[in-house]
Amino acid sequence: MDQRKLMDNANTITDMAKTQNTVYDIISDMASRQDVIEVRLTNLEEKLKIIQDQMENLPDMLTRCLSQHQERIDQRKNFLHPDTAATSTKLNSPHQIMNSNSMLFSNYSISNALATEHLAG
């Protein structure tokens, strides 16, 4: 009987050692995965910060680009029609620029349509 109890105790100790090794392996795996997740999360946070900065700079960038575009349009308009250069007005806001561009294109479309009618007629 004592021999059997000793064998059971030995088996129990062996099973506990195996369980302890398994638990250690699982904890080590979880720790390494946590490290990987932390690195990925840090990268995501950095990318989000970059996107946030770019979004904050977007209105200024759009205003600058639209202003440059309007200046080019004005330069072309002044080059093609020097007599209207004196009467052109400067635009200050992107909203005005957008409205003037649509007017410019609509006037361009109307003049093309009239020219086409004149040539056809």
Side-chain angles (χ1 to χ4, degrees), residues 3-107:
Q3 184 69 23
R4 183 157 178 94
K5 282 187 178 183
L6 285 175
M7 288 299 288
D8 284 344
N9 286 342
N11 287 337
T12 302
I13 290 174
T14 303
D15 288 344
M16 288 185 70
K18 288 179 183 178
T19 303
Q20 184 179 5
N21 284 337
T22 303
V23 169
Y24 176 78
D25 289 343
I26 291 170
I27 290 173
S28 295
D29 187 45
M30 287 176 60
S32 66
R33 287 181 186 200
Q34 182 179 358
D35 291 342
V36 169
I37 288 173
E38 286 177 3
V39 168
R40 291 178 72 184
L41 185 61
T42 301
N43 288 339
L44 280 174
E45 287 173 343
E46 290 171 358
K47 288 177 183 179
L48 280 173
K49 176 66 175 139
I50 290 169
I51 290 171
Q52 182 180 7
D53 291 344
Q54 290 175 346
M55 290 298 291
E56 288 173 357
N57 293 331
L58 187 60
D60 292 335
M61 186 183 304
L62 283 173
T63 301
R64 188 176 63 245
C65 289
L66 288 173
S67 296
Q68 290 173 353
H69 180 70
Q70 184 61 40
E71 288 174 9
R72 287 187 199 120
I73 288 174
D74 289 344
Q75 288 173 353
R76 286 187 206 129
K77 184 176 162 186
N78 294 341
F79 178 74
L80 295 175
H81 306 288
D83 54 328
T84 61
T87 61
S88 69
T89 59
K90 277 287 189 192
L91 302 173
N92 297 325
S93 72
H95 181 67
Q96 289 175 325
I97 292 171
M98 292 296 288
N99 287 340
S100 72
N101 285 342
S102 63
M103 289 299 292
L104 179 67
F105 291 126
S106 66
N107 289 341

